[in-house]
Amino acid sequence: MNNAMVVGPFVLPYSLLLSFAAVASTLYVGKRSGRKAGIDVESELWHTLLVGLVVARLAFVWEFRSAYLASPLDVLDIRDGGWSPTAGFVGAWLFALSRQGQLPAAKKALRAALLTGTVLWAVGAAVLSVRPDTGQELPALSFTSLEGQSVTLAEFKGKPIVVNLWATWCPPCVREMPMLHQAQVDRPSVNFVFLNQGEAADKVGAWLQARKLPMRNVLIDANKQAGAAFKQRALPTTLFFDGGGRLVSTRVGELSAATLTEKLQALTP
């Protein structure tokens, strides 16, 4: 399942594009409705959207609080993509409703704007959740282990599989590697596979040894076959497959412990 759009060097998840579309439609409808009524509701809409974003983030943090307790500053790192959209929309609506008493003239415009954005997001989320499966499965590729043995991805079927595309020169790859190593230790029911992109085995082995990361299933993808097969150019990219080798979801960019937990929960209900 391809859940992102590639635009030049950028990879944009469809969920993010949907959120942008919902926000843009909310602002557009609010501005037009307010102009017709002779009032300016744009600043009020921005406040409402900000409240929604904060609530969406806090709801996600609360749901995966055990992961954030180990590293509290990660709460501020919104690059991990940890949001609870439903909670955000509820928070935005409650804030807007609470403001209507103070701004009676803006009531219609605010409601029209929020309703438009909410409907667009709900319909879009429903479409994304039931999009036809593209049929992408674990490709029939083989790689070389650090010990020089040939290993095929098919060997990992039978358990859920997490495939991480990474390189030692990639800063976000480096930052997430200790967390992924710990996940591999804590979750023996999941096969974690680390496909290094284009580096020599001795260099990768020395890098892992220097950082005391005795990771299993580290394979060398010398020709970057995986990136081509998965149509992914950005690093790091992490792909989540079910036990049958069918692609369930993709995360482009650095994972936090919380977002990894979220993905694994969906993978192993």
Side-chain angles (χ1 to χ4, degrees), residues 194-218:
F194 302 95
L195 294 181
N196 179 272
Q197 300 296 288
E199 297 182 279
D202 55 351
K203 177 180 179 180
V204 174
W207 186 91
L208 292 170
Q209 187 174 16
R211 286 157 181 78
K212 297 181 172 57
L213 294 173
M215 305 175 78
R216 303 186 306 277
N217 306 329
V218 178

Side-chain angles (χ1 to χ4, degrees), residues 45-219:
L45 282 173
W46 278 113
H47 293 154
T48 302
L49 292 171
L50 179 60
V51 168
L53 284 173
V54 171
V55 171
R57 178 61 175 175
L58 292 178
F60 181 87
V61 169
W62 176 254
E63 183 178 358
F64 298 100
R65 56 193 176 278
S66 58
Y68 286 108
L69 283 173
S71 183
L73 289 180
D74 284 351
V75 171
L76 303 176
D77 189 1
I78 60 175
R79 295 174 300 174
D80 69 358
W83 307 91
S84 177
T86 301
F89 274 101
V90 170
W93 267 103
L94 290 175
F95 176 78
L97 291 173
S98 71
R99 294 287 293 167
Q100 286 181 13
Q102 303 173 45
L103 300 167
K107 182 186 296 187
K108 275 190 171 184
L110 285 172
R111 285 189 177 181
L114 283 173
L115 185 60
T116 300
T118 302
V119 169
L120 177 61
W121 179 83
V123 171
V127 170
L128 289 178
S129 68
V130 299
R131 279 184 305 144
D133 190 351
T134 61
Q136 187 166 8
E137 298 189 4
L138 208 62
L141 297 175
S142 63
F143 305 98
T144 305
S145 70
L146 295 182
E147 295 73 32
Q149 299 172 330
S150 179
V151 180
T152 64
L153 289 181
E155 295 177 30
F156 298 102
K157 288 185 178 180
K159 294 180 181 180
I161 307 161
V162 176
V163 177
N164 180 254
L165 309 184
W166 72 290
T168 62
W169 50 260
C170 161
C173 302
V174 171
R175 287 194 298 267
E176 72 179 7
M177 200 55 68
M179 180 266 299
L180 287 170
H181 169 247
Q182 190 59 50
Q184 186 179 53
V185 172
D186 294 340
R187 293 179 180 263
S189 60
V190 177
N191 281 325
F192 286 81
V193 183
F194 302 95
L195 294 181
N196 179 272
Q197 300 296 288
E199 297 182 279
D202 55 351
K203 177 180 179 180
V204 174
W207 186 91
L208 292 170
Q209 187 174 16
R211 286 157 181 78
K212 297 181 172 57
L213 294 173
M215 305 175 78
R216 303 186 306 277
N217 306 329
V218 178
L219 308 178

Side-chain angles (χ1 to χ4, degrees), residues 4-21:
M5 175 185 292
V6 178
V7 181
F10 303 103
V11 182
L12 303 176
Y14 287 128
S15 57
L16 179 62
L17 294 173
L18 175 59
S19 298
F20 286 159

